[in-house]
Amino acid sequence: MPQEPVDHEHRAGLLWDVLTNAAKGRRPPLTYKAAATSIGIHHRPIRYPLELIQNHCLEHGRPRLTALLVSASSGLQGRGFLGEPGSERDLEDVYLENWQNIPNPFSDLQQGELRAIAEVLTANPDAADKYVSVLSRGNQQRVFSKAVLHAYGHRCAICEMSFPCALQAAHIVPFGDPRRELRIDPRNGIALCANHHRFFDDGLIKITPEYQIVYYDPKGKDGSYSAVDAAISLAFHGKPLRLPKNPQLHPSRDLLKERLED
Ligand SMILES: [Zn+2]
């Protein structure tokens, strides 16, 4: 099986330490390549964790730590940087911030702890209420995903696809719902492959409270279908959803009903 999906938050946690150490030491800006090498990745995907760091700084009114990274060729911050490339002011703000008093926002819980919470949730989904308030949004997503994928034996509940890099935990009622415990309650989730997750979110596929798969165009009249198109869509119409072995973790019929009526 392919590798685990890339964890950008984990990378952001490593980069946060590299950048805050550089700021504390008033060191000159690093190149993107040197920063990427220091956390053991290629320089191209570094923009994903950097975006998380920059967004965090903006949301919390902190100077943009990402001012400390420049391109080797131009000596300036790259395209994703939202400050003014080359500005001395941006850099000085970063040096003046008291980083040692700010905990690393991307390592508030270690992977092992997140796994342990996901295990508690699969044993007792009612615990969602208690845990949701102590987890950051990113960690809520991660705990939810771990719990849901585990519940479904790491397979898509529609097609049984099991490549980890394309398996996702779909929310039945969305993450933004005011009932915050539903963000991490595995009964508000279904393990789906990336295609079926998209079909579900776009309403091409619906799941009834009786756990039946409904495809919006069962006769295939809406456009021309290739063999693969039909195999991942029409073929599942009317079929039962593959449920978790543990009946406690079956998707909530009430939430499925709510979603259908939405
Ligand atoms: Zn699927």
Side-chain angles (χ1 to χ4, degrees), residues 33-231:
K33 199 170 173 187
T37 306
S38 74
I39 63 161
I41 66 168
H42 188 264
H43 68 272
R44 228 181 297 278
I46 199 175
R47 60 196 165 102
Y48 301 109
L50 284 183
E51 196 180 314
L52 294 176
I53 291 176
Q54 179 167 259
N55 287 343
H56 176 88
C57 291
L58 291 176
E59 278 167 25
H60 292 81
R62 306 211 186 285
R64 281 176 281 259
L65 255 184
T66 46
L68 270 174
L69 288 174
V70 293
S71 138
S73 52
S74 67
L76 296 175
Q77 292 87 356
R79 240 185 309 164
F81 181 64
L82 294 177
E84 194 188 324
S87 153
E88 292 288 323
R89 185 72 244 158
D90 276 352
L91 208 51
E92 196 51 36
D93 286 346
V94 170
Y95 289 140
L96 290 174
E97 183 77 25
N98 210 354
W99 297 107
Q100 59 267 35
N101 293 342
I102 301 166
N104 185 328
F106 301 100
S107 62
D108 50 351
L109 282 174
Q110 298 301 319
Q111 290 293 323
E113 292 176 80
L114 294 179
R115 248 195 313 275
I117 295 176
E119 274 166 26
V120 171
L121 287 175
T122 50
N124 172 27
D126 287 330
D129 199 19
K130 174 176 138 201
Y131 283 107
V132 74
S133 54
V134 300
L135 295 165
S136 67
R137 288 173 74 91
N139 282 335
Q140 288 167 358
Q141 292 278 20
R142 286 146 98 184
V143 160
F144 176 73
S145 172
K146 284 180 202 298
V148 170
L149 297 189
H150 178 73
Y152 284 79
H154 298 266
R155 285 179 184 276
C156 173
I158 292 177
C159 69
E160 302 201 29
M161 196 235 47
S162 67
F163 285 82
C165 59
L167 256 189
Q168 302 171 347
H171 280 94
I172 299 171
V173 305
F175 192 83
D177 191 274
R179 292 162 291 180
R180 292 174 75 234
E181 69 281 4
L182 294 181
R183 292 177 177 182
I184 61 167
D185 188 327
R187 294 164 300 191
N188 185 33
I190 304 175
L192 293 176
C193 66
N195 284 331
H196 287 132
H197 190 179
R198 177 42 66 108
F199 288 10
F200 183 60
D201 279 354
D202 285 356
L204 302 185
I205 277 182
K206 293 189 185 334
I207 310 291
T208 70
E210 292 73 39
Y211 304 136
Q212 197 180 45
I213 301 162
V214 176
Y215 181 61
Y216 87 103
D217 181 28
K219 298 224 158 42
K221 291 186 170 155
D222 191 6
S224 57
Y225 285 77
S226 71
V228 172
D229 292 343

